[in-house]
Each structure stands twice: as structure tokens, then as C-alpha cells.
Amino acid sequence: MVFPGLTYKSDTDETVEFYRTAYGFEVHHSEVNEEQGVREAMLKINDTGDGGASYLQLLEPIRDDSPIAKWMEKNGEGVHHIAFGTADVEAVTADITGKGVRALYPAAKRGSMGSSINFLHPKDAHGVLTELVQAAQGGAGH
């Protein structure tokens, strides 16, 4: 699973409608993540048939002090991060940080659909904020 996370300021429904109309992507999941301060919509791009899928994650800040709102104030709308799926986010984070790449969190946090997530610092990943995602037990996707 690989997908970009996009940030936007406009109405979530309006943005979803753009991707539905332009590309045929449908909403697979949506939720508000209070801890991260975002409203999000996961649009399924494709499905590999083996439990893997690709998604486009749309993020809208729900409060001015959220990390997404702060990032958008500095960078504007657009691509925020790229995410890679893994079977064990803690083990992969430990492996990568052991190679000198900083993680943003000391331990995984809750992500979309009950997933476990961590991020790699963009200054250590050639300017790209990179998310590591472990799907919830029995779940597919992010």
C-alpha cells in the first residue's frame, strides 16, 4: 500500500466530489481524528485483490493548532506526505531509526480506521514527510 496524503482548505464534500467526478475515486472511509486535528476522507484508487489497495487521503484541519493547519499555513494546499504500508510499524520504525532517520513519535499513534502510524522526519528523508502505516487487525488499508 502506498498513497499520498493531500491537504486542502475547501469543503471536504466539494473536494471529494472533484476526485469522484475527475477520476472516479470513491470514498472508502471518512472520519474525524481529534488527536491529529483533522477531518479526513480515504478515497480508494485501486485494489490489488490480495488485500492490498491504494488510497488517496484528503486531510482538512478542524482547528488552527493542528499539525496540518500549521503545515498548510507555511506550505499551502497540496501533497503533505506519502505513506507506506507495513505489517509491523514498530519494528520498521525501529529498523529505520537505527539507521539514523528520526521518527516523529517515540511510539506509534492511532491513524485512520484504527491503524497504527508513525512518521519519518522530512529532513532525514530528502524533504518528504513519510508515514508508516500498519492496518488494524483484520483491516485492509489505512
Side-chain angles (χ1 to χ4, degrees):
M1 166 185 52
V2 177
F3 66 88
L6 302 181
T7 60
Y8 58 95
K9 294 179 183 177
S10 60
D11 178 79
T12 302
D13 297 329
E14 180 182 311
T15 306
V16 165
E17 187 57 31
F18 166 77
Y19 283 100
R20 179 181 292 124
T21 302
Y23 303 107
F25 300 161
E26 295 295 332
V27 175
H28 175 75
H29 177 81
S30 62
E31 70 179 83
V32 172
N33 184 323
E34 294 289 342
E35 180 183 5
Q36 297 293 322
V38 296
R39 178 178 179 202
E40 60 184 84
M42 298 293 285
L43 284 66
K44 187 178 267 190
I45 296 171
N46 66 11
D47 194 331
T48 61
D50 63 359
S54 296
Y55 298 92
L56 178 66
Q57 181 184 38
L58 303 177
L59 302 167
E60 176 184 8
I62 60 171
R63 60 178 193 269
D64 292 339
D65 69 339
S66 73
I68 293 296
K70 291 176 183 178
W71 186 87
M72 288 179 68
E73 187 176 306
K74 180 179 176 186
N75 300 289
E77 295 182 328
V79 176
H80 176 262
H81 68 278
I82 187 164
F84 297 104
T86 178
D88 187 340
V89 72
E90 293 289 355
V92 171
T93 300
D95 180 55
I96 294 172
T97 57
K99 297 172 182 170
V101 177
R102 292 172 287 172
L104 295 189
Y105 308 132
K109 292 190 175 212
R110 183 195 169 282
S112 301
M113 299 184 283
S115 63
S116 296
I117 64 168
N118 207 333
F119 287 90
L120 304 178
H121 200 292
K123 288 185 179 176
D124 297 343
H126 300 276
V128 178
L129 179 61
T130 305
E131 182 181 17
L132 305 173
V133 181
Q134 179 181 341
Q137 187 90 16
H142 179 27

